[in-house]
Amino acid sequence: MERSTIVRVHEGLHARPATRFVRLAKSFESEVEIVKAGKAVSAKSSVKLMLLGVKENQEVTVRANGADAVEAVEALIGYLENPRAGLDEDDATSEHKEMNGEAAKPVVATTPMQVAAPAGGLRGVAASEGVAVGQAFAHFPPEIRPQARTLSPEEAEAEIVRFGHAVKVVQARMDKALASEGLAGGDRGIVAALRDLAADDTLIGDAEAMIRSGSDAVAAVIATAAKLAAEFGSVDDPYLNARADDVQAVGRQICLALLGQDDVSLEDIPQGAILIADDIGAWDLSRAPLKRIGGIVCGHGGATSHIAIIARSHGIPAVLGLGARVSELRTAKEIALDGNGGTVVADPADAVKAEHLSRIEEAAKERHALDVFKDVTPKRADGTVIEVAANIGSLEEIEAALAAGAMGVGLFRTELLFMRHMHLPSEDMQAETYAALARAFAPHPVIVRTLDIGGDKPVAGIEFPEEENPFLGWRGIRMCLDRPDIFKPQLRALLRAAVHGNVKVMLPMVSDIAEVRRARALIDECAAELARDGVPFARFQLGVMIETPAAVLIAPALAREVSFFSIGTNDLTQYVMAADRLNPTVGALNDVANPAVMVAIAMTAKAGVEAGIMVGMCGEAAARPDLIPEFLRMGLTELSMSPASISRAKKRIVELGKA
Ligand code: PEP
Ligand code: MG
């Protein structure tokens, strides 16, 4: 029995929709295969299915053989023809839980500072700011070495039983982790994905076949995981490439269970210790006692890596990307690290240690002295209130932002919601998130930025073309306007959330008036749909980010279309100066204080002020005490920044108001 169809699932059989498809296939006794372009794979293996790379609008055939073949084909074809397959109401709730706990901070890398390593020190990527000195805690799990032995058929049978038992142990450990309250929400998704792999027919089945042909179980698992990881690694899809690590992590856990060993655990890390590792896998990280970790030093990882995001979100200073040189730190007793400059010193000499400690002390003193400004409402000399708001990317950061004295949110980066999940977030989940955000800051405004992703950041469920210049490519509002199936659920969610507080919405990467008009037309369409369906909603103010030179040049016209401007100096600087914000070699040019950029900011402010709309700033420059006076003179009345900078900015504004 077989039938062909065109796949309508929005995300294709990628990530979550693939897992769901496999679950459905497994509910039938029949053998089921899916065929694409002449290649057939078992529909009961999510690994095989993901590697087959079935995309939306491609033709596939479902083939089944067995007692319930007709039902199986019918159900699976129905699944493939449903655009929203793989994303149901259950997901909306679980996603919300995931998201609540999601570790997140701006994913965009700040330009690594060019700081020379102290004598005898190492330099890596400054991935999470702060200075730390602490006991070294080296985490280099030993390599697992299989025995070189060939099993007789009888031994092989016994080995398969042993292997099956080890797989069950690993699955049970993961189930336990999933059931535990302590597992941070964002990490739950990671563990769930590993749990799926630990039950996958490809990994388990291929290893079993090797054992049957005489291989030792540990050797079979290592070989199978390596082969699969290589397959994931070679696919032209960054999301699938990242699954290679997951396969290796699961393989390692099965091997350890076979050897009756526990992995070197991070659970015993002493309070304030500096974690040194070549890499920290998702599985380890999800179980690590982050509150106890004083700093992180890693051979792998960059400013946008998983570890960096988690470190920033938990305020842990981190230096990553040291490469093979990280092993020089293995025997260190003590580490001094500078997460601002990206330097690490093993067993620092007294003078180096004293210098680091004095910077830690200074930072603590400064924090303390600034505390009195937290609850101040800063005003310009003429009495105009200057809103000092927070840049955040997850609900988890609300508490810290409120505690820091944020007068609302000037930039909520919604892409983080999309990036750390196995699937696109549903409209309900988004509506809940934005509503929770609005409620937390009411009556202050929360400015939610619509999805701003591009070819440089993988998102499960969105196919990005290979681009020579992703920063000049299909990103931000450009992508959203082409994908109303992704954009409209976000807009509807925002309209629904606006009932619960002071929600404003801004569009990223605008370079043409038509983009604003098209977005507004979609908002109107969404509002009409909600009204028709009797779903409560409220209109929100619409603004644009000014982060392209084009937007600056048409600012007077744009100002007539929108309610506010928010200047995105991170991108505006790179585009005005034609200097890649991620490339340290042109870091000196990437300077917001360059007259060219300051003129662009002044032109924007003038256009906004003359049109009578609010002009704010949410790029990193908004927090610079040296530039704040200039921004206020230009007429900016809102500055949005990371919560840690809020009291310092308020202090600066108060001083200016008195001057
Ligand atoms: C900016 O470009 O200044 C900005 C705030 O957006 P992002 O850093 O997220 O690109
Ligand atoms: Mg930007």
Side-chain angles (χ1 to χ4, degrees), residues 363-376 403-405 644 646-648 650-651:
K365 266 199 214 137
E366 194 199 0
R367 268 198 310 277
H368 190 67
L370 288 173
D371 268 0
V372 291
F373 290 94
K374 269 185 192 163
D375 299 322
V376 164
I646 287 178
S647 35
R648 195 183 299 134
K650 282 188 174 180
K651 175 171 182 266

Side-chain angles (χ1 to χ4, degrees), residues 165 169 172 218 280 288 403 428 449 500:
H165 179 69
V169 167
V218 173
I280 311 173
D428 284 351
R449 174 172 77 184
H500 301 279

Side-chain angles (χ1 to χ4, degrees), residues 116-128:
L122 300 176
R123 216 170 84 75
V125 176
S128 175

Side-chain angles (χ1 to χ4, degrees), residues 16-75:
R16 177 64 65 100
T19 313
R20 287 295 173 88
F21 183 83
V22 168
R23 238 170 253 164
L24 183 60
K26 281 185 174 167
S27 69
F28 297 98
E29 273 172 31
S30 303
E31 294 282 308
V32 196
E33 283 185 332
I34 179 159
V35 192
K36 186 190 109 179
K39 183 164 180 207
V41 301
S42 164
K44 296 189 177 180
S45 160
S46 41
V47 168
K48 289 210 167 101
L49 208 56
M50 280 195 250
L51 287 170
L52 189 63
V54 176
K55 310 220 162 93
E56 188 181 1
N57 298 326
Q58 285 182 336
E59 184 175 0
V60 297
T61 302
V62 175
R63 189 189 282 162
N65 191 359
D68 51 7
V70 176
E71 293 84 349
V73 170
E74 200 171 305

Side-chain angles (χ1 to χ4, degrees), residues 347-371:
D347 297 321
D350 287 351
V352 175
K353 184 171 166 180
E355 190 264 333
H356 279 74
L357 288 174
S358 92
R359 286 175 57 199
I360 294 172
E361 206 176 306
E362 255 169 54
K365 266 199 214 137
E366 194 199 0
R367 268 198 310 277
H368 190 67
L370 288 173
D371 268 0

Side-chain angles (χ1 to χ4, degrees), residues 3 15 25 53 66 122 193 293 331 367 389 441 463 532 561 569 574 588 648:
R3 240 179 82 193
L122 300 176
I293 299 179
T331 52
R367 268 198 310 277
F441 286 92
E463 274 296 313
R532 182 200 60 205
E561 301 278 331
T569 49
Q574 81 162 342
R648 195 183 299 134

Side-chain angles (χ1 to χ4, degrees), residues 108 411 413 415 449 452 475 508-509 545 547 568-572 574-575 581 618:
V108 175
L411 168 61
R413 287 180 159 101
E415 52 277 12
R449 174 172 77 184
D452 183 19
R475 58 172 298 194
M509 277 298 291
M545 287 195 70
E547 50 184 351
T569 49
N570 308 343
D571 275 317
L572 186 60
Q574 81 162 342
Y575 293 131
R581 66 194 259 191
C618 61

